[in-house]
DNA sequence: AGAATTCGGTAACTCATGTTACCGATGGGA
DNA sequence: TCCCATCGGTAACATGAGTTACCGAATTCT
Protein backbone atom coordinates (compact mmCIF):
# COMPACT_ATOMS: atom_id res chain seq x y z
CA UNK A 1 0.00 0.00 0.00
CA UNK A 2 2.77 2.44 0.84
CA UNK A 3 5.40 0.81 -1.35
CA UNK A 4 4.77 3.27 -4.16
CA UNK A 5 5.89 6.16 -1.96
CA UNK A 6 9.11 4.67 -0.68
CA UNK A 7 11.25 6.19 -3.39
CA UNK A 8 10.07 9.69 -2.59
CA UNK A 9 10.26 9.15 1.14
CA UNK A 10 13.87 8.03 0.89
CA UNK A 11 14.68 11.57 -0.17
CA UNK A 12 13.68 13.08 3.14
CA UNK A 13 16.26 13.17 5.87
CA UNK A 14 13.57 11.82 8.15
CA UNK A 15 14.29 8.34 6.87
CA UNK A 16 18.06 8.44 6.48
CA UNK A 17 19.68 5.31 7.77
CA UNK A 18 16.45 3.38 7.73
CA UNK A 19 16.31 0.32 5.53
CA UNK A 20 13.77 0.19 2.76
CA UNK A 21 12.53 -3.07 4.12
CA UNK A 22 11.71 -1.41 7.40
CA UNK A 23 10.09 1.66 5.97
CA UNK A 24 6.91 -0.01 4.86
CA UNK A 25 6.30 -1.55 8.27
CA UNK A 26 7.01 1.77 9.92
CA UNK A 27 4.55 3.53 7.69
CA UNK A 28 1.80 1.13 8.67
CA UNK A 29 2.80 1.70 12.24
CA UNK A 30 2.43 5.46 11.91
CA UNK A 31 -0.84 5.40 9.95
CA UNK A 32 -0.19 8.41 7.74
CA UNK A 33 -2.99 10.32 6.11
CA UNK A 34 -2.48 10.93 2.41
CA UNK A 35 -4.33 13.75 0.68
CA UNK A 36 -4.43 15.15 -2.80
CA UNK A 37 -4.59 18.85 -3.51
CA UNK A 38 -5.37 20.27 -6.93
CA UNK A 39 -3.21 23.08 -8.24
CA UNK A 40 -3.78 26.41 -6.41
CA UNK A 41 -5.78 24.84 -3.63
CA UNK A 42 -5.05 25.70 -0.05
CA UNK A 43 -3.42 23.02 2.07
CA UNK A 44 -3.32 24.92 5.32
CA UNK A 45 -3.95 28.45 6.47
CA UNK A 46 -1.82 30.42 8.89
CA UNK A 47 -2.98 29.91 12.50
CA UNK A 48 -4.85 26.71 11.68
CA UNK A 49 -4.19 23.91 14.14
CA UNK A 50 -1.88 21.30 12.66
CA UNK A 51 -1.98 17.58 13.14
CA UNK A 52 1.54 16.54 12.38
CA UNK A 53 4.51 16.72 10.12
CA UNK A 54 3.98 16.68 6.37
CA UNK A 55 5.87 15.17 3.52
CA UNK A 56 5.29 16.29 -0.02
CA UNK A 57 4.96 13.15 -2.13
CA UNK A 58 4.15 14.77 -5.44
CA UNK A 59 3.93 18.24 -6.91
CA UNK A 60 5.10 21.42 -5.24
CA UNK A 61 3.82 23.78 -2.58
CA UNK A 62 4.46 27.38 -1.63
CA UNK A 63 4.72 28.70 1.88
CA UNK A 64 3.44 32.27 2.12
CA UNK A 65 2.78 34.70 4.89
CA UNK A 66 0.28 37.54 4.97
CA UNK A 67 1.85 40.95 5.36
CA UNK A 68 0.10 43.64 7.41
CA UNK A 69 -1.22 45.39 4.34
CA UNK A 70 -2.92 42.30 2.98
CA UNK A 71 -0.13 41.34 0.61
CA UNK A 72 1.76 38.09 0.56
CA UNK A 73 5.41 37.17 0.94
CA UNK A 74 6.78 33.96 -0.43
CA UNK A 75 8.80 32.26 2.25
CA UNK A 76 9.68 29.02 0.54
CA UNK A 77 8.80 26.62 -2.21
CA UNK A 78 8.99 22.88 -1.67
CA UNK A 79 9.12 19.95 -4.05
CA UNK A 80 8.50 16.24 -3.84
CA UNK A 81 10.50 14.69 -1.04
CA UNK A 82 10.51 17.79 1.14
CA UNK A 83 9.32 17.81 4.69
CA UNK A 84 7.32 20.72 6.03
CA UNK A 85 5.48 21.78 9.16
CA UNK A 86 8.05 20.06 11.35
CA UNK A 87 8.88 23.17 13.29
CA UNK A 88 5.39 24.00 14.46
CA UNK A 89 4.24 20.40 14.84
CA UNK A 90 6.21 19.95 18.02
CA UNK A 91 5.77 23.46 19.36
CA UNK A 92 3.43 24.45 22.16
CA UNK A 93 0.84 26.09 19.97
CA UNK A 94 0.73 23.46 17.23
CA UNK A 95 -0.55 25.96 14.72
CA UNK A 96 0.62 26.67 11.20
CA UNK A 97 2.92 29.69 11.22
CA UNK A 98 2.25 30.33 7.55
CA UNK A 99 -0.08 29.42 4.70
CA UNK A 100 0.63 26.43 2.46
CA UNK A 101 -0.76 26.19 -1.05
CA UNK A 102 -0.32 23.70 -3.84
CA UNK A 103 1.40 25.27 -6.84
CA UNK A 104 0.84 22.09 -8.86
CA UNK A 105 -1.42 19.11 -8.38
CA UNK A 106 0.10 17.67 -5.25
CA UNK A 107 -0.04 14.78 -2.88
CA UNK A 108 0.84 15.18 0.78
CA UNK A 109 1.44 12.63 3.50
CA UNK A 110 0.62 13.78 7.02
CA UNK A 111 2.16 11.93 9.93
CA UNK A 112 0.38 12.59 13.24
CA UNK A 113 3.03 13.40 15.78
CA UNK A 114 1.71 11.01 18.39
CA UNK A 115 2.43 8.21 15.95
CA UNK A 116 5.87 9.55 15.17
CA UNK A 117 7.03 9.63 18.76
CA UNK A 118 4.55 7.07 20.00
CA UNK A 119 5.25 3.63 21.34
CA UNK A 120 5.44 1.41 18.34
CA UNK A 121 3.32 -1.70 18.77
CA UNK A 122 5.66 -3.59 16.44
CA UNK A 123 8.55 -2.05 18.36
CA UNK A 124 10.23 -1.52 15.03
CA UNK A 125 13.89 -0.73 15.42
CA UNK A 126 13.84 2.03 12.86
CA UNK A 127 11.61 4.07 15.04
CA UNK A 128 14.39 5.15 17.29
CA UNK A 129 16.36 6.27 14.26
CA UNK A 130 13.33 8.15 13.01
CA UNK A 131 13.16 10.12 16.23
CA UNK A 132 16.86 10.88 16.14
CA UNK A 133 16.43 12.07 12.57
CA UNK A 134 13.56 14.28 13.67
CA UNK A 135 15.74 15.78 16.39
CA UNK A 136 18.51 16.32 13.88
CA UNK A 137 16.18 18.03 11.44
CA UNK A 138 14.94 20.43 14.09
CA UNK A 139 18.48 21.11 15.32
CA UNK A 140 19.70 21.87 11.86
CA UNK A 141 16.76 24.16 11.28
CA UNK A 142 17.54 26.03 14.48
CA UNK A 143 21.20 26.25 13.51
CA UNK A 144 20.31 27.68 10.12
CA UNK A 145 18.01 30.25 11.67
CA UNK A 146 20.70 31.10 14.16
CA UNK A 147 23.13 31.73 11.35
CA UNK A 148 20.61 33.89 9.61
CA UNK A 149 20.14 35.94 12.77
CA UNK A 150 23.88 36.44 12.81
CA UNK A 151 23.88 37.73 9.25
CA UNK A 152 20.99 40.04 9.88
CA UNK A 153 22.55 41.38 13.06
CA UNK A 154 25.58 42.69 11.24
CA UNK A 155 25.00 46.38 10.76
CA UNK A 156 26.78 47.11 7.51
CA UNK A 157 25.82 45.71 4.16
CA UNK A 158 29.44 45.00 3.32
CA UNK A 159 29.70 43.07 6.55
CA UNK A 160 26.67 40.95 5.73
CA UNK A 161 27.92 40.14 2.28
CA UNK A 162 31.37 39.32 3.63
CA UNK A 163 30.01 37.09 6.34
CA UNK A 164 27.84 35.17 3.97
CA UNK A 165 30.57 34.58 1.43
CA UNK A 166 33.21 33.80 4.05
CA UNK A 167 30.93 31.17 5.53
CA UNK A 168 30.74 29.55 2.12
CA UNK A 169 34.49 29.84 1.84
CA UNK A 170 35.07 28.14 5.19
CA UNK A 171 32.71 25.43 4.13
CA UNK A 172 34.10 24.73 0.69
CA UNK A 173 37.66 25.80 1.39
CA UNK A 174 37.68 27.42 -2.00
CA UNK A 175 37.54 31.09 -3.00
CA UNK A 176 35.31 30.15 -5.91
CA UNK A 177 31.73 30.22 -4.75
CA UNK A 178 28.50 29.48 -6.46
CA UNK A 179 25.40 30.63 -4.63
CA UNK A 180 22.14 28.77 -4.84
CA UNK A 181 20.10 31.94 -5.16
CA UNK A 182 19.64 34.93 -7.40
CA UNK A 183 20.19 38.56 -6.46
CA UNK A 184 16.70 39.23 -5.15
CA UNK A 185 16.82 36.17 -2.97
CA UNK A 186 20.25 37.07 -1.74
CA UNK A 187 19.11 40.59 -0.90
CA UNK A 188 16.14 39.17 0.92
CA UNK A 189 18.26 36.73 2.81
CA UNK A 190 20.52 39.51 3.99
CA UNK A 191 17.61 41.80 4.76
CA UNK A 192 18.49 44.55 2.30
CA UNK A 193 17.11 45.81 -1.01
CA UNK A 194 18.33 44.52 -4.30
CA UNK A 195 19.72 47.81 -5.66
CA UNK A 196 21.65 48.36 -2.45
CA UNK A 197 23.11 44.91 -2.70
CA UNK A 198 24.09 45.41 -6.35
CA UNK A 199 25.73 48.72 -5.57
CA UNK A 200 27.77 47.37 -2.68
CA UNK A 201 28.85 44.33 -4.66
CA UNK A 202 29.96 46.74 -7.37
CA UNK A 203 32.01 48.75 -4.91
CA UNK A 204 33.62 45.65 -3.51
CA UNK A 205 34.57 44.54 -7.01
CA UNK A 206 36.00 47.99 -7.77
CA UNK A 207 38.12 47.74 -4.65
CA UNK A 208 39.41 44.35 -5.71
CA UNK A 209 37.88 42.49 -2.80
CA UNK A 210 35.97 40.08 -4.96
CA UNK A 211 34.89 39.38 -8.50
CA UNK A 212 31.54 38.14 -9.58
CA UNK A 213 29.26 37.33 -12.45
CA UNK A 214 25.74 36.26 -11.71
CA UNK A 215 25.82 33.61 -9.05
CA UNK A 216 29.55 32.97 -9.33
CA UNK A 217 31.89 34.71 -6.92
CA UNK A 218 35.63 34.70 -6.54
CA UNK A 219 37.01 35.99 -3.27
CA UNK A 220 40.29 37.75 -3.79
CA UNK A 221 40.84 39.67 -0.54
CA UNK A 222 39.69 37.60 2.40
CA UNK A 223 41.35 39.94 4.88
CA UNK A 224 39.31 42.91 3.72
CA UNK A 225 36.18 40.83 4.10
CA UNK A 226 37.08 39.79 7.62
CA UNK A 227 37.68 43.45 8.43
CA UNK A 228 34.21 44.33 7.24
CA UNK A 229 32.54 42.02 9.68
CA UNK A 230 34.02 43.51 12.84
CA UNK A 231 30.77 44.33 14.51
CA UNK B 1 22.48 9.55 44.42
CA UNK B 2 20.63 11.87 42.05
CA UNK B 3 17.88 12.73 44.48
CA UNK B 4 19.58 15.95 45.51
CA UNK B 5 19.28 17.32 41.98
CA UNK B 6 15.65 16.55 41.40
CA UNK B 7 14.42 19.93 42.58
CA UNK B 8 16.63 21.76 40.10
CA UNK B 9 15.89 19.37 37.31
CA UNK B 10 12.18 19.85 37.73
CA UNK B 11 12.69 23.43 36.59
CA UNK B 12 13.81 22.41 33.12
CA UNK B 13 11.14 21.86 30.53
CA UNK B 14 12.98 18.67 29.68
CA UNK B 15 11.25 16.95 32.57
CA UNK B 16 7.82 18.51 32.45
CA UNK B 17 5.10 15.95 32.91
CA UNK B 18 7.47 13.42 34.37
CA UNK B 19 6.80 12.24 37.90
CA UNK B 20 9.43 12.83 40.52
CA UNK B 21 9.33 9.16 41.32
CA UNK B 22 10.31 8.34 37.76
CA UNK B 23 13.03 10.92 37.45
CA UNK B 24 15.54 9.18 39.61
CA UNK B 25 15.25 5.92 37.71
CA UNK B 26 15.55 7.81 34.44
CA UNK B 27 18.69 9.54 35.58
CA UNK B 28 20.31 6.23 36.39
CA UNK B 29 19.21 5.04 33.01
CA UNK B 30 20.87 7.97 31.25
CA UNK B 31 24.09 7.91 33.26
CA UNK B 32 24.76 11.64 33.35
CA UNK B 33 28.20 13.06 33.97
CA UNK B 34 28.29 15.73 36.63
CA UNK B 35 31.14 18.23 36.70
CA UNK B 36 32.06 21.20 38.83
CA UNK B 37 33.54 24.35 37.41
CA UNK B 38 35.08 27.09 39.52
CA UNK B 39 34.15 30.69 38.84
CA UNK B 40 35.63 32.01 35.55
CA UNK B 41 36.68 28.60 34.33
CA UNK B 42 35.91 27.52 30.80
CA UNK B 43 33.27 24.85 30.35
CA UNK B 44 33.47 24.54 26.59
CA UNK B 45 35.12 26.40 23.76
CA UNK B 46 33.56 27.28 20.44
CA UNK B 47 34.09 24.51 17.85
CA UNK B 48 34.87 21.89 20.51
CA UNK B 49 33.04 18.61 19.94
CA UNK B 50 30.15 18.21 22.35
CA UNK B 51 28.94 15.07 24.04
CA UNK B 52 25.39 15.88 24.85
CA UNK B 53 22.89 18.27 26.30
CA UNK B 54 23.77 20.11 29.47
CA UNK B 55 21.79 21.16 32.49
CA UNK B 56 23.07 23.78 34.85
CA UNK B 57 22.54 22.42 38.37
CA UNK B 58 24.15 25.21 40.31
CA UNK B 59 25.71 28.60 39.64
CA UNK B 60 25.51 30.51 36.37
CA UNK B 61 27.22 30.41 33.00
CA UNK B 62 27.74 32.85 30.18
CA UNK B 63 27.59 32.02 26.50
CA UNK B 64 29.93 34.17 24.48
CA UNK B 65 31.10 34.29 20.93
CA UNK B 66 34.36 35.56 19.54
CA UNK B 67 34.01 38.45 17.16
CA UNK B 68 36.34 38.77 14.18
CA UNK B 69 38.48 41.38 15.88
CA UNK B 70 39.17 39.22 18.90
CA UNK B 71 36.47 40.73 21.10
CA UNK B 72 33.61 38.93 22.73
CA UNK B 73 29.85 39.23 22.54
CA UNK B 74 27.64 38.01 25.30
CA UNK B 75 24.92 35.88 23.80
CA UNK B 76 23.18 34.65 26.91
CA UNK B 77 23.49 34.05 30.59
CA UNK B 78 21.98 30.97 32.18
CA UNK B 79 21.13 30.09 35.75
CA UNK B 80 20.45 26.93 37.70
CA UNK B 81 17.77 24.87 36.03
CA UNK B 82 18.56 26.05 32.52
CA UNK B 83 19.31 23.71 29.68
CA UNK B 84 22.04 24.54 27.19
CA UNK B 85 23.80 22.99 24.23
CA UNK B 86 20.59 21.34 23.08
CA UNK B 87 20.63 22.92 19.66
CA UNK B 88 24.06 21.72 18.61
CA UNK B 89 23.89 18.38 20.40
CA UNK B 90 21.57 16.96 17.79
CA UNK B 91 23.01 18.75 14.80
CA UNK B 92 25.24 17.16 12.21
CA UNK B 93 28.45 18.76 13.38
CA UNK B 94 27.95 18.22 17.12
CA UNK B 95 30.24 21.09 17.96
CA UNK B 96 29.77 23.96 20.35
CA UNK B 97 28.63 27.01 18.41
CA UNK B 98 29.86 29.30 21.18
CA UNK B 99 32.03 29.39 24.28
CA UNK B 100 30.59 28.60 27.70
CA UNK B 101 32.16 29.87 30.90
CA UNK B 102 31.20 29.67 34.54
CA UNK B 103 30.42 33.10 35.95
CA UNK B 104 30.09 31.61 39.44
CA UNK B 105 31.15 28.31 40.94
CA UNK B 106 28.92 25.98 38.99
CA UNK B 107 27.84 22.43 38.63
CA UNK B 108 26.78 21.01 35.29
CA UNK B 109 25.06 17.77 34.36
CA UNK B 110 25.86 16.42 30.92
CA UNK B 111 23.49 13.91 29.35
CA UNK B 112 25.03 12.00 26.44
CA UNK B 113 22.59 12.10 23.60
CA UNK B 114 22.74 8.40 22.89
CA UNK B 115 21.37 7.85 26.37
CA UNK B 116 18.71 10.46 25.92
CA UNK B 117 17.28 8.94 22.78
CA UNK B 118 18.62 5.46 23.42
CA UNK B 119 16.65 2.36 24.11
CA UNK B 120 15.99 2.37 27.80
CA UNK B 121 16.87 -0.96 29.39
CA UNK B 122 14.31 -0.35 32.12
CA UNK B 123 11.92 0.73 29.40
CA UNK B 124 10.90 3.56 31.68
CA UNK B 125 7.68 5.20 30.60
CA UNK B 126 8.96 8.68 31.15
CA UNK B 127 11.51 8.28 28.43
CA UNK B 128 9.01 8.82 25.69
CA UNK B 129 7.87 12.00 27.37
CA UNK B 130 11.46 13.11 27.68
CA UNK B 131 11.95 12.78 23.96
CA UNK B 132 8.76 14.65 23.22
CA UNK B 133 9.93 17.38 25.57
CA UNK B 134 13.24 17.51 23.75
CA UNK B 135 11.41 17.89 20.44
CA UNK B 136 9.26 20.62 21.93
CA UNK B 137 12.27 22.48 23.27
CA UNK B 138 13.96 22.44 19.88
CA UNK B 139 10.76 23.48 18.12
CA UNK B 140 10.24 26.38 20.43
CA UNK B 141 13.81 27.45 19.96
CA UNK B 142 13.37 27.38 16.20
CA UNK B 143 10.12 29.31 16.49
CA UNK B 144 11.77 31.99 18.61
CA UNK B 145 14.63 32.31 16.16
CA UNK B 146 12.14 32.50 13.36
CA UNK B 147 10.37 35.36 15.06
CA UNK B 148 13.66 37.10 15.60
CA UNK B 149 14.46 36.78 11.90
CA UNK B 150 11.12 38.40 11.18
CA UNK B 151 11.94 41.35 13.42
CA UNK B 152 15.37 41.77 11.94
CA UNK B 153 14.05 41.58 8.40
CA UNK B 154 11.86 44.63 8.83
CA UNK B 155 13.72 47.49 7.25
CA UNK B 156 12.63 50.45 9.33
CA UNK B 157 13.37 50.90 12.98
CA UNK B 158 9.84 52.03 13.64
CA UNK B 159 8.62 48.88 12.01
CA UNK B 160 10.79 46.68 14.20
CA UNK B 161 9.66 48.42 17.36
CA UNK B 162 6.05 48.19 16.30
CA UNK B 163 6.29 44.55 15.43
CA UNK B 164 7.90 43.64 18.70
CA UNK B 165 5.39 45.54 20.81
CA UNK B 166 2.42 44.38 18.77
CA UNK B 167 3.50 40.79 19.27
CA UNK B 168 3.45 41.37 23.00
CA UNK B 169 0.07 43.02 22.63
CA UNK B 170 -1.38 40.07 20.74
CA UNK B 171 0.01 37.79 23.37
CA UNK B 172 -1.19 39.64 26.46
CA UNK B 173 -4.23 41.27 24.87
CA UNK B 174 -3.37 44.40 26.77
CA UNK B 175 -1.89 47.69 25.59
CA UNK B 176 0.16 47.84 28.78
CA UNK B 177 3.41 46.05 28.19
CA UNK B 178 6.35 45.34 30.40
CA UNK B 179 9.45 44.15 28.62
CA UNK B 180 11.91 41.76 30.19
CA UNK B 181 14.94 43.67 28.92
CA UNK B 182 16.59 47.03 29.15
CA UNK B 183 17.23 49.46 26.30
CA UNK B 184 20.58 48.07 25.27
CA UNK B 185 19.24 44.56 25.15
CA UNK B 186 16.20 45.71 23.25
CA UNK B 187 18.40 47.54 20.75
CA UNK B 188 20.52 44.45 20.36
CA UNK B 189 17.51 42.25 19.92
CA UNK B 190 16.22 44.47 17.15
CA UNK B 191 19.63 44.79 15.59
CA UNK B 192 20.00 48.57 15.99
CA UNK B 193 22.04 50.88 18.18
CA UNK B 194 20.78 52.15 21.48
CA UNK B 195 20.75 55.87 20.62
CA UNK B 196 18.82 55.15 17.44
CA UNK B 197 16.30 53.17 19.39
CA UNK B 198 15.90 55.90 21.99
CA UNK B 199 15.45 58.52 19.34
CA UNK B 200 12.81 56.60 17.48
CA UNK B 201 10.93 55.75 20.66
CA UNK B 202 10.98 59.47 21.45
CA UNK B 203 9.51 60.32 18.06
CA UNK B 204 6.81 57.73 18.45
CA UNK B 205 5.89 59.14 21.83
CA UNK B 206 5.81 62.68 20.39
CA UNK B 207 3.44 61.46 17.71
CA UNK B 208 1.16 59.92 20.31
CA UNK B 209 1.66 56.38 19.09
CA UNK B 210 2.84 55.10 22.44
CA UNK B 211 3.95 56.16 25.88
CA UNK B 212 6.78 54.69 27.83
CA UNK B 213 8.91 54.88 30.92
CA UNK B 214 11.77 52.47 31.28
CA UNK B 215 10.50 49.00 30.55
CA UNK B 216 6.83 49.94 30.70
CA UNK B 217 5.02 50.72 27.50
CA UNK B 218 1.49 51.77 26.74
CA UNK B 219 0.32 51.39 23.17
CA UNK B 220 -2.10 54.14 22.25
CA UNK B 221 -2.25 53.97 18.46
CA UNK B 222 -2.21 50.38 17.30
CA UNK B 223 -3.19 51.37 13.79
CA UNK B 224 -0.15 53.57 13.32
CA UNK B 225 2.03 50.73 14.52
CA UNK B 226 0.49 48.28 12.08
CA UNK B 227 1.07 50.81 9.32
CA UNK B 228 4.75 50.98 10.21
CA UNK B 229 5.30 47.28 9.67
CA UNK B 230 4.14 47.20 6.03
CA UNK B 231 7.33 45.83 4.64
C1' DA C 1 27.96 60.66 52.38
C1' DG C 2 30.85 60.64 48.36
C1' DA C 3 32.46 58.05 44.39
C1' DA C 4 31.89 55.08 40.71
C1' DT C 5 29.04 52.65 37.55
C1' DT C 6 25.10 51.71 34.87
C1' DC C 7 21.30 53.25 32.35
C1' DG C 8 18.84 56.00 29.23
C1' DG C 9 17.82 60.42 26.78
C1' DT C 10 19.48 63.89 23.53
C1' DA C 11 21.89 66.39 19.88
C1' DA C 12 24.96 67.32 15.76
C1' DC C 13 26.93 65.43 12.07
C1' DT C 14 27.79 62.06 8.49
C1' DC C 15 26.87 58.70 5.36
C1' DA C 16 25.15 54.27 4.11
C1' DT C 17 21.17 52.54 2.46
C1' DG C 18 16.39 52.84 0.77
C1' DT C 19 13.62 54.67 -3.08
C1' DT C 20 12.44 55.13 -7.60
C1' DA C 21 13.14 54.80 -12.09
C1' DC C 22 15.26 53.38 -16.22
C1' DC C 23 17.90 50.35 -19.24
C1' DG C 24 19.93 46.36 -21.50
C1' DA C 25 20.41 41.29 -21.65
C1' DT C 26 18.32 37.00 -21.70
C1' DG C 27 15.00 33.56 -22.61
C1' DG C 28 10.53 31.50 -23.30
C1' DG C 29 6.04 31.57 -25.50
C1' DA C 30 2.64 32.96 -28.99
C1' DT D 1 9.78 36.95 -35.29
C1' DC D 2 7.99 39.76 -31.89
C1' DC D 3 6.42 40.27 -27.35
C1' DC D 4 6.68 39.99 -22.65
C1' DA D 5 8.55 38.70 -18.24
C1' DT D 6 12.53 38.14 -15.45
C1' DC D 7 16.88 39.46 -13.95
C1' DG D 8 20.52 42.45 -12.72
C1' DG D 9 23.11 46.84 -13.07
C1' DT D 10 23.07 51.82 -12.47
C1' DA D 11 22.08 56.59 -11.15
C1' DA D 12 19.97 60.64 -8.53
C1' DC D 13 17.97 61.80 -4.63
C1' DA D 14 16.08 61.67 0.03
C1' DT D 15 16.50 60.15 4.51
C1' DG D 16 16.88 57.03 8.32
C1' DA D 17 20.03 55.37 11.23
C1' DG D 18 24.99 55.02 12.91
C1' DT D 19 28.52 57.64 15.47
C1' DT D 20 30.14 60.19 19.05
C1' DA D 21 29.78 62.70 22.80
C1' DC D 22 27.66 64.62 26.78
C1' DC D 23 24.48 64.82 30.61
C1' DG D 24 21.46 63.72 34.43
C1' DA D 25 19.20 60.08 37.26
C1' DA D 26 19.38 56.01 39.66
C1' DT D 27 21.96 52.43 41.89
C1' DT D 28 25.69 50.27 44.16
C1' DC D 29 30.04 50.27 46.46
C1' DT D 30 33.24 52.04 49.89
Amino acid sequence: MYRQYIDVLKKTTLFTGIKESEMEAMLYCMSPRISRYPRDSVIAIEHDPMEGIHILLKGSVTITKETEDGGRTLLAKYHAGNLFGEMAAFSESKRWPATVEASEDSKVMALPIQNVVGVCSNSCGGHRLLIINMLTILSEKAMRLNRRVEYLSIRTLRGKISRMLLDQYEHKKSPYIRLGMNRSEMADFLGVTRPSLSRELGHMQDEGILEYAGREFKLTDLEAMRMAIRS
Side-chain angles (χ1 to χ4, degrees), chain A residues 164-165 168 177-181 183 186 215-217:
Chain A
M164 183 181 187
L165 294 176
Q168 295 291 320
I177 291 167
R178 184 187 174 79
L179 291 181
M181 48 179 113
R183 279 289 173 285
M186 185 177 170
R215 301 179 177 202
E216 315 277 353
F217 292 78

Side-chain angles (χ1 to χ4, degrees), chain A residues 8-18 53 55 81-84 86 129-138 140-141 144:
Chain A
V8 197
L9 293 177
K10 274 199 301 186
K11 288 192 203 167
T12 72
T13 41
L14 189 58
F15 290 98
T16 41
I18 296 175
I53 57 181
I55 301 168
N82 269 132
L83 189 71
F84 62 95
E86 76 285 355
L129 208 44
L130 188 91
I131 289 170
I132 295 180
N133 285 341
M134 196 65 242
L135 284 164
T136 305
I137 289 168
L138 283 174
E140 289 292 331
K141 177 133 203 164
R144 270 199 307 282

Side-chain angles (χ1 to χ4, degrees), chain A residues 11-222:
Chain A
K11 288 192 203 167
T12 72
T13 41
L14 189 58
F15 290 98
T16 41
I18 296 175
K19 293 195 205 79
E20 274 190 49
S21 55
E22 271 182 304
M23 282 178 59
E24 203 174 347
M26 288 178 63
L27 286 170
Y28 276 105
C29 170
M30 295 190 287
S31 49
R33 194 172 51 71
I34 294 173
S35 320
R36 292 162 181 285
Y37 297 92
R39 182 190 170 121
D40 294 329
S41 64
V42 175
I43 297 175
I45 298 182
E46 196 175 338
H47 304 305
D48 272 4
M50 67 180 348
E51 339 84 68
I53 57 181
H54 294 69
I55 301 168
L56 187 54
L57 298 173
K58 198 191 114 210
S60 58
V61 300
T62 57
I63 315 283
T64 58
K65 192 141 187 164
E66 303 260 339
T67 54
E68 295 291 323
D69 55 341
R72 289 273 176 92
T73 338
L74 176 70
L75 295 185
K77 185 163 187 178
Y78 292 136
H79 303 274
N82 269 132
L83 189 71
F84 62 95
E86 76 285 355
M87 188 169 73
F90 295 100
S91 69
E92 304 277 1
S93 71
K94 294 191 175 40
R95 287 172 182 284
W96 287 94
T99 297
V100 185
E101 284 161 298
S103 48
E104 307 171 45
D105 290 358
S106 300
K107 207 185 277 187
V108 173
M109 175 183 279
L111 296 172
I113 63 162
Q114 308 91 290
N115 304 355
V116 174
V117 295
V119 183
C120 185
S121 51
N122 310 337
S123 69
C124 48
H127 222 123
R128 180 168 159 260
L129 208 44
L130 188 91
I131 289 170
I132 295 180
N133 285 341
M134 196 65 242
L135 284 164
T136 305
I137 289 168
L138 283 174
S139 287
E140 289 292 331
K141 177 133 203 164
M143 300 274 281
R144 270 199 307 282
L145 285 168
N146 203 45
R147 209 164 308 131
R148 184 135 185 234
V149 166
E150 281 176 21
Y151 292 151
L152 293 173
S153 301
I154 295 172
R155 306 234 200 284
T156 67
L157 179 43
R158 182 171 293 205
K160 291 178 202 224
I161 295 169
S162 299
R163 182 70 143 98
M164 183 181 187
L165 294 176
L166 278 176
D167 268 10
Q168 295 291 320
Y169 170 76
E170 312 278 345
H171 191 63
K172 303 268 189 79
K173 301 289 179 204
S174 158
Y176 293 91
I177 291 167
R178 184 187 174 79
L179 291 181
M181 48 179 113
N182 64 25
R183 279 289 173 285
S184 296
E185 290 164 341
M186 185 177 170
D188 233 44
F189 185 72
L190 297 177
V192 297
T193 59
R194 189 188 53 76
S196 298
L197 174 59
S198 278
R199 176 176 42 200
E200 192 57 30
L201 282 173
H203 290 164
M204 290 173 81
Q205 188 162 47
D206 292 347
E207 294 175 35
I209 297 173
L210 49 75
E211 292 165 32
Y212 66 95
R215 301 179 177 202
E216 315 277 353
F217 292 78
K218 176 185 170 192
L219 313 187
T220 50
D221 187 348
L222 298 171

